Amino acid sequence: MSVMAMTTPVAMGYIPLGTVFGFLFVQAGADWWLAILSSVVVYAGAAQYMMIPMLAAGMPISAIAFATLVVNLRHMFYGLSLLGSFPRKPRAVRAYLIFALTDETYSLLTTMPRDTSHRQMVLVAMLNQCWWVLGTAAGALIGARAQITLSGLDFVLAALFAVLTVEQWRSRHSAAPLWVALVAYALAFMLAPDHALVVAIALSIAAATLLQARRSPAGERA
Amino acid sequence: MTDVTYVVTAIFAAGLVTLGLRALPFIAGDWLNKHPFVQRLGRFLPLAIMTLLLVHYVVGAAQSHEHGPWPELVAVALAIVLQWFARNPLLSIVGGTLAYVAMRNAGWF
């Protein structure tokens, strides 16, 4: 399959979603080129969407960095299945592949045939980012001119989280994480409604630790 | 968002955090693979955190108006059903968002 054919489904998603991102970013009051900078430098859809209201509210950089950490935590585990297939050299190629490891690029790279050349891998990764940046630029330019106020367009982030949740659910090892998360959020919302997300994450990690300590006998620990 | 230095700093901070997360297995892959606990956490946390983010965002959106959580629940349910059966992220995201925008702007909510 040609590189173009492989990346077309990603283009169909990245161009429109990038456009909405660029539009919302500019409508929130930033210059058009900052939207493009975000798609070049951050290149993580959910985190970029999430930053918009935080930037508009003037939240501290540390809060934005922490929120990015939470939203992108799943990326920490993507590289594990690609350790062997990424080229060691040239280093710039390896570094770019690691930088550009979004959800979609990850699923493309992990489903490519074993004999895929490193050149093809880089081309796929770069084309994917091109679609995202192109979409962002289009949206930013529209947003800089248009005066449309549609309340609720930022719900695109909730829909994106819904999609990611469904996909995580499909590849689940057990249903426990979902139930633990729901219970943790309910508890956190009652205890500390202003910090519900952070408290719920801490509760979930604690629950995961307890569940696993119980499940794995001492002998299994390497 | 008119303070360019602030926005640029935030963008680079978010970029560094993201790059760090993506690079971690390539830097500390051996260590991660040696610790089954980290791997089990890796199987547990992504679904838990996505669920938390979804719930948190829906709760936040539902509190931004006075009509109860109905438009949020309908739109998220639509996105989930679309993604479950059609497996097309763009369709699910556009479908859910348009349904939400329509409900909020039609005057029902």
Side-chain angles (χ1 to χ4, degrees), chain A residues 19 96 142:
Chain A
T19 306
Y96 180 74
I142 298 168

Side-chain angles (χ1 to χ4, degrees), chain A residues 12 28 42-43 58-59 72 74 76-77 83 99 101 151 154-156 158 167 170 173 177 181 185 212 220, chain B residues 1 6 11 18 21-22 25 40 42-44 46 48 50 52 56-57 63 75 83 87 90 93 97 100 105:
Chain A
M12 310 262 286
V42 186
Y43 189 33
M59 304 264 283
N72 285 338
R74 67 190 184 287
M76 195 176 119
F77 305 102
L83 280 178
F99 162 79
L101 208 50
S151 60
D154 51 354
F155 198 74
V156 70
E167 291 312 310
R170 249 196 258 280
H173 296 265
Y185 195 85
Q212 285 161 8
E220 202 194 308
Chain B
M1 280 178 86
Y6 164 67
I11 286 173
T18 307
L21 287 170
R22 286 174 183 164
R40 282 195 224 103
R43 285 200 289 264
F44 187 97
M50 268 315 142
L52 286 177
H56 183 66
Y57 197 89
Q63 285 174 333
Q83 183 62 20
R87 283 198 176 207
L90 180 65
I93 292 168
T97 308
Y100 186 75
N105 290 275

Side-chain angles (χ1 to χ4, degrees), chain A:
Chain A
M1 198 161 40
S2 79
V3 167
M4 249 329 176
M6 273 189 276
T7 165
T8 303
V10 177
M12 310 262 286
Y14 273 17
I15 294 175
L17 288 178
T19 306
V20 176
F21 166 75
F23 180 82
L24 290 175
F25 200 88
V26 170
Q27 291 279 306
D31 288 343
W32 61 272
W33 62 273
L34 288 168
I36 298 172
L37 184 74
S38 176
S39 288
V40 171
V41 172
V42 186
Y43 189 33
Q48 285 181 250
Y49 271 108
M50 193 202 52
M51 281 172 72
I52 300 174
M54 298 187 84
L55 287 170
M59 304 264 283
I61 304 288
S62 57
I64 293 174
F66 180 76
T68 308
L69 183 79
V70 169
V71 172
N72 285 338
L73 199 66
R74 67 190 184 287
H75 290 288
M76 195 176 119
F77 305 102
Y78 283 175
L80 285 178
S81 48
L82 289 164
L83 280 178
S85 54
F86 272 17
R88 299 229 150 251
K89 286 191 175 157
R91 292 182 80 102
V93 166
R94 183 176 171 84
Y96 180 74
L97 280 172
I98 292 171
F99 162 79
L101 208 50
T102 58
D103 297 284
E104 288 73 13
T105 304
Y106 170 75
S107 39
L108 274 189
L109 292 181
T110 43
T111 50
M112 278 172 140
R114 277 241 159 250
D115 60 345
T116 309
S117 71
H118 293 155
R119 199 175 144 267
Q120 279 179 309
M121 291 173 82
V122 179
L123 271 177
V124 162
M126 289 181 87
L127 275 170
N128 284 353
Q129 189 171 14
C130 277
W131 308 137
W132 180 246
V133 173
L134 266 178
T136 305
L141 294 178
I142 298 168
R145 276 152 221 280
Q147 289 299 326
I148 321 162
T149 35
L150 274 178
S151 60
L153 203 56
D154 51 354
F155 198 74
V156 70
L157 181 59
L160 185 58
F161 286 149
V163 166
L164 290 169
T165 306
V166 169
E167 291 312 310
Q168 295 287 355
W169 173 260
R170 249 196 258 280
S171 61
R172 74 189 180 276
H173 296 265
S174 87
L178 181 91
W179 300 117
V180 165
L182 292 177
V183 172
Y185 195 85
L187 278 175
F189 193 75
M190 285 187 282
L191 294 172
D194 291 341
H195 306 282
L197 185 60
V198 177
V199 174
I201 289 169
L203 286 174
S204 301
I205 294 175
T209 313
L210 282 175
L211 282 173
Q212 285 161 8
R214 209 185 49 186
R215 207 176 297 162
S216 63
E220 202 194 308
R221 287 197 196 122

Side-chain angles (χ1 to χ4, degrees), chain B residues 61-72 103-104 107-109:
Chain B
Q63 285 174 333
S64 70
H65 58 86
E66 311 258 294
H67 308 281
W70 307 114
E72 287 78 18
M103 285 186 279
R104 288 295 305 278
W108 306 339
F109 295 104

